[in-house]
Structure formats: C-alpha cells, structure tokens
Amino acid sequence: MILAVVLFLVTGLETSAQAQEAEASASSIEWNKTTFDFGKVPQGKPVTTEFEFTNSSMVPLIINSVQSSCGCTVPSYPKEPILPGKTGKIVVTFNAATTGPFSKSILVNTNATEGYASLVIKGEVESL
C-alpha cells in the first residue's frame, strides 16, 4: 500500500516536471495588433501595413509559414528564428483592384504554443 502511494506521488511529480519543462521550452508570441483597418483606399493603388510581434518566450520563435486568404493579399515574413525578447514583423500588401468593402485574413503558423495566429486587414476600396 505504501509502495503504491509512493509510486503514485513519484509518477505525479515526474508528469508535473515534464509539463513544466515542456512549457519552458515552448515558444510564445505577442502581437502589437492583429487587425488593421485601412479605411478608404483608392482603387488600383496597393496599400501596405505591418504586424509587429515579440518573442515572449525563452526559446527561439520560428515562423513556419504565412498564408493569405486570397491572391490580392501578399504577406512577407522573417525566415530566420526570432530570438527570445526580440521583435519581428509581418508585412502585408493588399492590391486594391476591386471596389467595395474588403476583409482579408492572414494565417501565421509558428512553433509557439498557440500554433496559429490569424491577422486581419480590412477597409473599403473606392473608385477613382
């Protein structure tokens, strides 16, 4: 009986230690914003914004991929790991070809605990 209790406690401590170790080795990302409203933009003129982020963990942050919801939105992102405490940015350019309101999403895949982050740009394209 005592042996069973000791084994239970030791197993629980190992599991807790493993969880703490996994948490300490996980990456984390903090965004300064996740949505940007361009407001009214003229048709035919591409517009650009930046989404800045900070690696708030103790391990390097790796951006695996960044994908937009359509070909009219082109993201660029750092290919090198972002060191702990350092910042990076994802630059998004929207080609304002079609008039009317728009809302586009950009999916960011990282090694952070959250895995994916969704960024949004929106606004309204006006004819010239």
Side-chain angles (χ1 to χ4, degrees):
M1 176 71 171
I2 293 175
L3 180 59
V5 171
V6 169
L7 285 176
F8 176 75
L9 290 174
V10 169
T11 304
L13 290 175
E14 286 178 9
T15 304
S16 177
Q18 290 170 344
Q20 288 176 348
E21 184 178 308
E23 187 174 308
S25 67
S27 214
S28 183
I29 189 169
E30 291 182 17
W31 296 93
N32 70 336
K33 65 184 174 195
T34 56
T35 300
F36 183 78
D37 188 345
F38 284 107
K40 296 186 185 297
V41 296
Q43 183 179 17
K45 181 180 178 196
V47 289
T48 300
T49 189
E50 297 177 352
F51 292 93
E52 189 171 297
F53 60 87
T54 302
N55 177 356
S56 57
S57 69
M58 300 303 285
V59 297
L61 173 70
I62 298 169
I63 299 177
N64 299 315
S65 65
V66 179
Q67 298 176 326
S68 64
S69 58
C70 84
C72 62
T73 305
V74 180
S76 64
Y77 62 97
K79 308 303 188 274
E80 298 297 321
I82 307 301
L83 298 177
K86 299 297 181 184
T87 61
K89 61 185 170 184
I90 294 178
V91 178
V92 178
T93 301
F94 172 71
N95 181 11
T98 305
T99 60
F102 67 90
S103 179
K104 305 297 178 184
S105 61
I106 299 94
L107 189 62
V108 182
N109 177 3
T110 70
N111 68 329
T113 305
E114 304 84 18
Y116 288 91
S118 182
L119 308 175
V120 176
I121 59 169
K122 59 185 179 177
E124 184 175 355
V125 178
E126 295 184 315
S127 61
L128 297 175

